[in-house]
Amino acid sequence: MAPRETSRLRSRPRSSGRTHPLTVVGPGPYGLATAAHLRARHMPLRIFGEPMAGWHSHMPNGMFLKSSPLSSSISAPEPGYEFADFRIARGAEPPCELEPIPVSEFVRYGLWFQQHWAADVERTTVRHIDAAAGGGFRVTLESGEEFDSPAVVVAAGVVPYAHVPGTFTGLLAAGRASHTADHTDFSQFAGQRVTVVGSGQSALESAALLHEAGALPTVVTRAPSIGFGPPPRTRTLAQRSLRKRLMYPNSLLGTGWPLAACSHGAAAYRHLPDRARAHFLHTVLGPSGAWWLRHRIDGHFPVLCGRRVRSASLDGALGAHLELVRADGTPEAIRTDHVLIGTGYRVDIGRLTMLSPRLRRDVLTVSGAPLLSADLESSVPGLFFTGLTAAPSFGPLLRFVVGTGFAARRVCAALERRNAAVFG
Ligand SMILES: Cc1cc2nc3c(=O)[nH]c(=O)nc-3n(C[C@H](O)[C@H](O)[C@H](O)COP(=O)(O)OP(=O)(O)OC[C@H]3O[C@@H](n4cnc5c(N)ncnc54)[C@H](O)[C@@H]3O)c2cc1C
């Protein structure tokens, strides 16, 4: 059974009355971990949004997690809330590294975690956040309610940052293109030619799911070839020999020295020069498919590598016309019914329209990403960013669920120190 049958909230009031509650925006893995760690410190908070919406409303049905079961747990302040605990609580077999987690099961895990640590999530959108006259923040909800909060943790996830290259904006406006984040069900494309742009897990898995839904996908990517990660050699990490563990150390992000460095060195990452941070962020665990995806792609549909999309235009009622250029400069053209843009996500807090223009201006940024302190606090005191928004500062760890512990512990310790400084 689960370690706690009842919600953690019964013994923990939402607000102590001593101060306005802290605000957490977004009940995805990062917001939920933040809420759990705040609750363990008896800090009053309010958390807003639709729990796990990033996973159930912006990822395709039938998707599997690329991260292994061991790296797919949301951090809690005490044992008993890992993905394996959820499985066992359900009477199922504990997970093994060779079995990817279906997204539907991960959503159930996230909701189970939420029931324990943030059952009082308020299912409304935060519409506006601005600096309050007397310090702290004025928060406005979709419902129209307004309240003051001494600090805000923005855990709004990846969706606001869906990246659409300018080449496709015309097709997007005409409904002939969409981002992978726009879909949960590909059956609407059955019988249609769909060009999938990109070579990361999201693009490749979407292409496989399109094919399996009866569509005719073609993958187009600038990459010279598509890559797939190697399968784990053993069912559990404990089965690895000492020699293997020394040559390819285990870490939260996976095996090997580069991943171990990014995993253990997340705190030091922000001291790297801007260019180095940007480079490692995109190259460590860069675009590639999971090991279990290869057999669903190879030989099933065309994958056109080494092609840049030079232009994309409407092709009358027939769909879209794409002009491609090969690496050697040779032009190529394809016709398609729809373009699915799988070019990922780019942090740019200009996209977080819930923040007032003044706040967005006051947050110091590098290439759109906020510059954060060691505690994930921005240059605006009391305004914290976690999850993908913090990845340009702390590296690849913060791109994945496995980074929730690192982030939540730091944010919560800082908020506790702040509270102590203000209220003694
Ligand atoms: C296709 C795909 C596959 C992925 N696979 C993996 C994987 O296998 N393993 C892994 O570790 N990571 C994976 N990731 C990355 C994953 O998205 C992040 O690790 C994780 O979701 C980050 O959690 P989060 O809480 O920051 O964001 P999210 O899970 O996106 O949650 C953000 C929450 O904030 C809410 N929100 C946003 N704005 C507001 C607002 N104004 N008011 C109220 N609520 C708001 C959203 O509705 C949502 O509930 C994948 C990402 C994608 C796109």
Side-chain angles (χ1 to χ4, degrees), residues 53-82:
W55 293 80
H56 64 66
S57 300
H58 297 281
M59 295 187 195
N61 301 331
M63 186 192 110
F64 288 90
L65 267 68
K66 189 179 179 188
S67 57
S68 74
L70 269 177
S71 298
S72 301
S73 292
I74 304 171
S75 172
E78 59 188 60
Y81 297 93
E82 295 191 355

Short mmCIF file of all heavy atoms in Angstrom, two decimals, residues 53-82:
data_model
loop_
_atom_site.label_atom_id
_atom_site.label_comp_id
_atom_site.label_asym_id
_atom_site.label_seq_id
_atom_site.Cartn_x
_atom_site.Cartn_y
_atom_site.Cartn_z
N ALA A 53 -0.95 18.53 -16.50
CA ALA A 53 -1.52 18.87 -17.82
C ALA A 53 -0.46 18.81 -18.92
O ALA A 53 -0.76 18.47 -20.06
CB ALA A 53 -2.17 20.25 -17.78
N GLY A 54 0.78 19.15 -18.57
CA GLY A 54 1.84 19.09 -19.59
C GLY A 54 1.95 17.69 -20.17
O GLY A 54 2.29 17.52 -21.35
N TRP A 55 1.62 16.68 -19.37
CA TRP A 55 1.78 15.29 -19.81
C TRP A 55 0.50 14.74 -20.42
O TRP A 55 0.56 13.98 -21.38
CB TRP A 55 2.21 14.42 -18.63
CG TRP A 55 3.58 14.76 -18.14
CD1 TRP A 55 3.93 15.80 -17.33
CD2 TRP A 55 4.82 14.09 -18.46
NE1 TRP A 55 5.29 15.81 -17.12
CE2 TRP A 55 5.86 14.77 -17.80
CE3 TRP A 55 5.13 12.97 -19.23
CZ2 TRP A 55 7.20 14.37 -17.89
CZ3 TRP A 55 6.46 12.57 -19.32
CH2 TRP A 55 7.47 13.27 -18.66
N HIS A 56 -0.67 15.09 -19.88
CA HIS A 56 -1.88 14.46 -20.45
C HIS A 56 -2.52 15.29 -21.56
O HIS A 56 -3.33 14.77 -22.32
CB HIS A 56 -2.90 14.06 -19.39
CG HIS A 56 -3.51 15.18 -18.60
ND1 HIS A 56 -4.33 16.13 -19.16
CD2 HIS A 56 -3.43 15.50 -17.29
CE1 HIS A 56 -4.72 16.98 -18.22
NE2 HIS A 56 -4.17 16.63 -17.08
N SER A 57 -2.15 16.56 -21.69
CA SER A 57 -2.80 17.37 -22.73
C SER A 57 -1.84 17.84 -23.82
O SER A 57 -2.27 18.47 -24.78
CB SER A 57 -3.46 18.61 -22.11
OG SER A 57 -4.43 18.21 -21.18
N HIS A 58 -0.55 17.56 -23.66
CA HIS A 58 0.41 18.05 -24.67
C HIS A 58 1.40 16.98 -25.10
O HIS A 58 2.44 17.30 -25.67
CB HIS A 58 1.16 19.27 -24.12
CG HIS A 58 0.24 20.42 -23.85
ND1 HIS A 58 -0.22 21.25 -24.85
CD2 HIS A 58 -0.35 20.85 -22.71
CE1 HIS A 58 -1.03 22.15 -24.33
NE2 HIS A 58 -1.13 21.93 -23.03
N MET A 59 1.13 15.75 -24.78
CA MET A 59 1.97 14.65 -25.26
C MET A 59 1.03 13.60 -25.85
O MET A 59 -0.12 13.46 -25.41
CB MET A 59 2.78 14.04 -24.12
CG MET A 59 3.80 15.01 -23.53
SD MET A 59 4.87 14.20 -22.34
CE MET A 59 5.62 15.62 -21.53
N PRO A 60 1.52 12.86 -26.87
CA PRO A 60 0.60 11.93 -27.55
C PRO A 60 0.25 10.70 -26.73
O PRO A 60 1.11 10.13 -26.05
CB PRO A 60 1.37 11.55 -28.82
CG PRO A 60 2.80 11.82 -28.52
CD PRO A 60 2.84 12.93 -27.50
N ASN A 61 -1.03 10.28 -26.84
CA ASN A 61 -1.43 8.99 -26.25
C ASN A 61 -0.56 7.91 -26.89
O ASN A 61 -0.24 7.99 -28.07
CB ASN A 61 -2.89 8.67 -26.61
CG ASN A 61 -3.83 9.74 -26.13
OD1 ASN A 61 -3.56 10.40 -25.14
ND2 ASN A 61 -4.93 9.93 -26.86
N GLY A 62 -0.18 6.94 -26.12
CA GLY A 62 0.64 5.86 -26.68
C GLY A 62 2.13 6.14 -26.57
O GLY A 62 2.95 5.29 -26.90
N MET A 63 2.48 7.34 -26.10
CA MET A 63 3.90 7.67 -25.92
C MET A 63 4.47 6.89 -24.74
O MET A 63 3.74 6.51 -23.83
CB MET A 63 3.99 9.18 -25.64
CG MET A 63 5.38 9.74 -25.57
SD MET A 63 5.37 11.44 -24.90
CE MET A 63 6.14 11.15 -23.30
N PHE A 64 5.76 6.65 -24.78
CA PHE A 64 6.49 6.09 -23.65
C PHE A 64 7.52 7.10 -23.18
O PHE A 64 8.03 7.90 -23.98
CB PHE A 64 7.20 4.79 -24.03
CG PHE A 64 6.27 3.64 -24.25
CD1 PHE A 64 5.74 3.39 -25.51
CD2 PHE A 64 5.89 2.81 -23.21
CE1 PHE A 64 4.87 2.35 -25.72
CE2 PHE A 64 5.03 1.76 -23.41
CZ PHE A 64 4.50 1.52 -24.66
N LEU A 65 7.85 7.05 -21.90
CA LEU A 65 8.90 7.94 -21.41
C LEU A 65 10.25 7.48 -21.93
O LEU A 65 10.52 6.27 -22.02
CB LEU A 65 8.93 7.95 -19.87
CG LEU A 65 8.10 9.07 -19.23
CD1 LEU A 65 6.61 8.83 -19.47
CD2 LEU A 65 8.37 9.16 -17.74
N LYS A 66 11.07 8.45 -22.27
CA LYS A 66 12.44 8.11 -22.68
C LYS A 66 13.29 7.86 -21.44
O LYS A 66 14.20 7.03 -21.46
CB LYS A 66 13.01 9.28 -23.49
CG LYS A 66 14.33 8.95 -24.15
CD LYS A 66 14.82 10.14 -24.96
CE LYS A 66 16.16 9.86 -25.60
NZ LYS A 66 16.73 11.06 -26.23
N SER A 67 13.00 8.58 -20.38
CA SER A 67 13.78 8.36 -19.15
C SER A 67 13.41 7.01 -18.55
O SER A 67 12.26 6.57 -18.62
CB SER A 67 13.54 9.48 -18.14
OG SER A 67 12.18 9.59 -17.83
N SER A 68 14.38 6.36 -17.96
CA SER A 68 14.15 5.02 -17.41
C SER A 68 13.36 5.14 -16.10
O SER A 68 13.31 6.21 -15.49
CB SER A 68 15.50 4.35 -17.16
OG SER A 68 16.08 4.93 -16.01
N PRO A 69 12.74 4.05 -15.64
CA PRO A 69 11.98 4.11 -14.40
C PRO A 69 12.78 4.68 -13.23
O PRO A 69 12.26 5.46 -12.43
CB PRO A 69 11.60 2.65 -14.16
CG PRO A 69 11.52 2.07 -15.53
CD PRO A 69 12.61 2.74 -16.31
N LEU A 70 14.08 4.33 -13.15
CA LEU A 70 14.88 4.84 -12.03
C LEU A 70 15.04 6.35 -12.06
O LEU A 70 15.31 6.98 -11.05
CB LEU A 70 16.28 4.21 -12.07
CG LEU A 70 16.47 2.92 -11.30
CD1 LEU A 70 17.88 2.41 -11.52
CD2 LEU A 70 16.21 3.14 -9.81
N SER A 71 14.91 6.93 -13.24
CA SER A 71 15.10 8.38 -13.39
C SER A 71 13.79 9.11 -13.62
O SER A 71 13.77 10.20 -14.19
CB SER A 71 16.04 8.66 -14.56
OG SER A 71 17.30 8.09 -14.32
N SER A 72 12.69 8.51 -13.21
CA SER A 72 11.39 9.12 -13.50
C SER A 72 10.56 9.31 -12.23
O SER A 72 9.34 9.19 -12.27
CB SER A 72 10.62 8.27 -14.51
OG SER A 72 11.37 8.14 -15.69
N SER A 73 11.23 9.62 -11.13
CA SER A 73 10.49 9.85 -9.89
C SER A 73 10.46 11.33 -9.56
O SER A 73 11.44 12.04 -9.75
CB SER A 73 11.15 9.09 -8.74
OG SER A 73 10.99 7.71 -8.93
N ILE A 74 9.32 11.76 -9.04
CA ILE A 74 9.19 13.14 -8.57
C ILE A 74 9.72 13.18 -7.15
O ILE A 74 9.38 12.31 -6.33
CB ILE A 74 7.70 13.58 -8.62
CG1 ILE A 74 7.14 13.39 -10.05
CG2 ILE A 74 7.57 15.03 -8.17
CD1 ILE A 74 5.63 13.59 -10.15
N SER A 75 10.53 14.18 -6.85
CA SER A 75 11.18 14.22 -5.54
C SER A 75 10.19 14.56 -4.42
O SER A 75 9.43 15.53 -4.52
CB SER A 75 12.30 15.26 -5.56
OG SER A 75 12.81 15.44 -4.26
N ALA A 76 10.23 13.76 -3.38
CA ALA A 76 9.44 14.04 -2.17
C ALA A 76 10.41 14.21 -1.00
O ALA A 76 11.54 13.72 -1.05
CB ALA A 76 8.49 12.88 -1.90
N PRO A 77 9.97 14.85 0.07
CA PRO A 77 10.88 15.08 1.20
C PRO A 77 11.09 13.85 2.07
O PRO A 77 11.86 13.91 3.01
CB PRO A 77 10.18 16.19 1.98
CG PRO A 77 8.75 16.09 1.60
CD PRO A 77 8.70 15.54 0.21
N GLU A 78 10.39 12.77 1.78
CA GLU A 78 10.58 11.54 2.56
C GLU A 78 10.39 10.35 1.63
O GLU A 78 9.78 10.47 0.56
CB GLU A 78 9.59 11.48 3.73
CG GLU A 78 8.15 11.52 3.31
CD GLU A 78 7.20 11.65 4.50
OE1 GLU A 78 7.30 12.65 5.24
OE2 GLU A 78 6.37 10.76 4.67
N PRO A 79 10.95 9.19 2.02
CA PRO A 79 10.83 8.03 1.14
C PRO A 79 9.38 7.58 0.97
O PRO A 79 8.53 7.90 1.81
CB PRO A 79 11.65 6.94 1.87
CG PRO A 79 12.39 7.62 2.96
CD PRO A 79 11.68 8.91 3.25
N GLY A 80 9.11 6.84 -0.10
CA GLY A 80 7.79 6.25 -0.27
C GLY A 80 7.00 6.83 -1.42
O GLY A 80 5.85 6.43 -1.63
N TYR A 81 7.58 7.75 -2.19
CA TYR A 81 6.81 8.42 -3.25
C TYR A 81 7.47 8.34 -4.61
O TYR A 81 7.17 9.11 -5.51
CB TYR A 81 6.55 9.89 -2.85
CG TYR A 81 5.72 9.96 -1.60
CD1 TYR A 81 6.34 10.06 -0.35
CD2 TYR A 81 4.35 9.84 -1.66
CE1 TYR A 81 5.59 10.06 0.81
CE2 TYR A 81 3.58 9.85 -0.50
CZ TYR A 81 4.21 9.96 0.73
OH TYR A 81 3.46 9.95 1.87
N GLU A 82 8.38 7.36 -4.77
CA GLU A 82 9.02 7.19 -6.07
C GLU A 82 8.09 6.44 -7.01
O GLU A 82 7.09 5.85 -6.57
CB GLU A 82 10.34 6.45 -5.90
CG GLU A 82 11.32 7.28 -5.09
CD GLU A 82 12.72 6.74 -5.11
OE1 GLU A 82 12.94 5.65 -5.67
OE2 GLU A 82 13.59 7.42 -4.54
#
